Amino acid sequence: AERIFTRIESGDSHGIMASLVFSEFLVPLYRSGDSKAATGLSNQLLRFQNLEIIPLNAIQLTHNQLYLL
């Protein structure tokens, strides 16, 4: 995952993240009671360069787009 986020952040790739995946990143933090860390991660992902978070029902990717991700 780190390699993928590095490529997205550098501008080599454009990232698309479904809102479901976004929320899955936050679940462990909320379960452990660390809402401050969850808020921090949420803010970081929302501001991440070249990363777009979209509703799950909006995903219609071609094979080429999936390959790049």
Side-chain angles (χ1 to χ4, degrees), residues 3-65:
R3 190 178 89 201
I4 293 169
F5 278 102
T6 299
R7 287 184 61 191
I8 293 169
E9 188 174 33
S10 71
D12 288 342
S13 297
H14 179 84
I16 300 171
M17 179 185 293
S19 56
L20 177 65
V21 174
F22 179 85
S23 62
E24 286 295 322
F25 277 123
L26 303 177
V27 168
L29 296 171
Y30 280 117
R31 282 192 180 151
S32 70
D34 197 348
S35 60
K36 186 175 180 178
T39 300
L41 178 58
S42 177
N43 289 334
Q44 185 178 9
L45 289 171
L46 289 170
R47 292 183 178 103
F48 202 88
Q49 295 288 329
N50 307 308
L51 178 64
E52 182 180 359
I53 299 166
I54 60 172
L56 187 60
N57 62 354
I59 298 177
Q60 295 179 358
L61 302 175
T62 67
H63 174 72
N64 290 336
Q65 288 172 314

